[in-house]
Amino acid sequence: RYLLSRGGPLQGRKVVVTAGGTREPLDPVRYLTNRSSGKQGYAVAQAALDRGADVVLITTVDGLPWPSGARRVAVATAQEMLEAVLAECQNADVLIMAAAVADFRPATAAGQKIKKEGGAPTLTLAANPDILLEVARQRQRLGHPQVVVGFAAETENLLQNAQAKLARKSLTLMVANDVSATDAGFAVDTNRVTLISAGGAFETLPLMSKVEVAEKIVDRIVEILAGTEE
Ligand code: CTP
Ligand code: CA
């Protein structure tokens, strides 16, 4: 069999990326979600493809240009995303959790459309699983993935909050994202991030396109895998 090698520093590496906000059903026609567009996750998937990785993109989003060559796993809820992530991570080298996972879901989803005659319902929420915490548990057993990257979108105390999350979730790298300004974060094409590594080193990047941020993140992962991170 003739295989045309794509080459690149991530050749032979399996990279799992999640993107988009999860959708938590209230009834058959309604759901709770958040403002994540999925753009940063799609850009990360593309940057990993460009460096030769085998990429699995676990996504809640339709309608963004598909990173050509990535394998698509479509999910809606946090629970579905958890199952897909744990399955794909069994033989993955890298997980990048760019998805905005809903922390809470409606405790019950009505089987039929909720009718307005009954008056405004009171929503009872239940906590969703923390996917990165479950990955940390599986990773202790399996040793995979070697590199786990999280994102922290914060409106205040960016670095303290992000560093605490990095530690709690046993991450290799945290991408701390300041979403207090309107030129960065949700639904725009630019992001303002600080990369925090497990060793505690900080690198604050200027306002950049999400494509450029993705390239910085993936290049840092390449360094970590090669053992040449500064
Ligand atoms: N995350 C996850 N599972 C969840 C919630 C979040 O895996 N149920 C991941 C996100 O994909 C992200 C990282 O955890 O990579 C940080 O998400 P964030 O919402 O900032 O942190 P939380 O731990 O949910 O804390 P809080 O929302 O209370 O700030
Ligand atoms: Ca959260």
Side-chain angles (χ1 to χ4, degrees):
R1 198 160 67 125
Y2 181 75
L3 281 175
L4 188 65
S5 157
R6 279 174 301 144
L10 293 178
Q11 192 181 1
R13 300 286 194 174
K14 177 176 176 182
V15 175
V16 178
V17 182
T18 65
T22 64
R23 296 194 300 270
E24 310 294 335
L26 191 54
D27 71 15
V29 298
R30 303 183 178 101
Y31 55 79
L32 299 184
T33 190
N34 58 62
R35 296 180 60 198
S36 169
S37 67
K39 283 179 180 173
Q40 186 65 76
Y42 276 52
V44 167
Q46 185 64 58
L49 285 163
D50 291 345
R51 286 154 186 76
D54 295 322
V55 175
V56 179
L57 180 50
I58 300 172
T59 180
T60 64
V61 176
D62 309 299
L64 281 181
W66 187 251
S68 145
R71 178 153 61 84
R72 181 185 188 96
V73 178
V75 297
T77 65
Q79 185 62 42
E80 289 168 7
M81 185 173 280
L82 171 67
E83 286 162 23
V85 167
L86 291 180
E88 294 297 341
C89 279
Q90 292 191 15
N91 61 353
D93 298 287
V94 179
L95 169 66
I96 304 166
M97 277 294 298
V101 184
D103 294 323
F104 307 105
R105 65 176 183 275
T108 56
Q112 304 296 329
K113 185 185 171 197
I114 298 167
K115 303 301 283 179
K116 67 181 169 196
E117 289 91 275
T122 301
L123 279 187
T124 305
L125 301 179
N128 272 331
D130 188 309
I131 297 173
L132 281 172
L133 284 182
E134 298 300 327
V135 166
R137 191 171 307 173
Q138 174 170 299
R139 191 176 173 213
Q140 276 198 318
R141 257 188 309 119
L142 302 182
H144 284 282
Q146 187 182 338
V147 173
V148 179
V149 181
F151 283 68
E154 304 287 351
T155 57
E156 58 182 359
N157 302 328
L158 176 70
L159 297 182
Q160 298 90 314
N161 285 340
Q163 192 147 38
K165 281 177 193 171
L166 173 144
R168 193 160 60 84
K169 300 181 189 231
S170 309
L171 304 181
T172 320
L173 186 67
M174 177 58 106
V175 183
N177 190 352
D178 180 354
V179 292
S180 61
T182 55
D183 58 354
F186 295 116
V188 295
D189 288 325
T190 46
N191 242 345
R192 192 190 309 277
V193 306
T194 298
L195 303 184
I196 307 174
S197 46
F202 288 48
E203 185 188 359
T204 299
L205 304 177
L207 185 70
M208 288 181 170
S209 73
K210 289 183 177 178
V211 168
E212 290 170 312
V213 169
E215 287 173 348
K216 289 279 188 190
I217 293 166
V218 175
D219 286 340
R220 178 65 78 84
I221 292 168
V222 168
E223 289 172 9
I224 293 169
L225 287 169
T228 58
E229 196 199 12
E230 283 146 43

